[in-house]
């Protein structure tokens, strides 16, 4: 995480860079970005539309980190609730 946010700033100023890193090909970068946004908290609310599609990823760990990140955002992640419910009911491929 230090490498992702180093030199970028913290809080809202880091969120844009973290959002861009969710498009990286490396799943480890996705995980680190999701954890960083969870630690930033509600200031990461603008990333909810970028995090939500990760709920449909094949990798269970990535889906778990996406859930963790959305949970850490609290009410700011309200838009993801239908997708989270779909996961809870075992529906894969919920439209995002």
């Amino acid at each position: 995480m230090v490498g992702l946010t180093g030199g970028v700033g913290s809080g809202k100023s880091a969120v844009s860079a973290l959002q861009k890193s969710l498009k990286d090909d490396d799943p480890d970068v996705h995980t680190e970005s999701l954890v960083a946004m969870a630690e930033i908290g509600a200031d990461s609310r603008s990333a909810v539309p970028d995090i939500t599609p990760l709920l449909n990823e094949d990798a269970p760990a990535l889906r778990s980190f996406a859930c963790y990140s959305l949970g850490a955002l609290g009410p700011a992640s309200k838009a993801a609730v239908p997708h989270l419910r779909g996961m809870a009911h075992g529906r894969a491929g919920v439209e995002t």
Side-chain angles (χ1 to χ4, degrees):
M1 181 181 69
V2 174
L4 289 174
T5 59
V8 176
S10 61
K12 290 181 183 180
S13 63
V15 173
S16 179
L18 292 167
Q19 284 175 270
K20 289 177 187 171
S21 69
L22 291 177
K23 308 235 187 289
D24 194 279
D25 291 334
D26 185 347
D28 291 334
V29 172
H30 299 166
T31 299
E32 293 291 329
S33 298
L34 291 166
V35 170
M37 285 188 275
E39 289 178 0
I40 291 169
D43 284 345
S44 294
R45 72 178 60 80
S46 65
V48 171
D50 299 305
I51 297 170
T52 303
L54 299 177
L55 297 172
N56 294 323
E57 285 292 322
D58 290 333
L62 187 53
R63 290 193 310 265
S64 293
F65 278 107
C67 288
Y68 166 73
S69 185
L70 290 167
L73 300 181
S77 62
K78 183 178 179 180
V81 169
H83 305 283
L84 292 164
R85 283 191 182 131
M87 288 179 65
H89 294 289
R91 293 191 305 258
V94 177
E95 289 294 317
T96 56

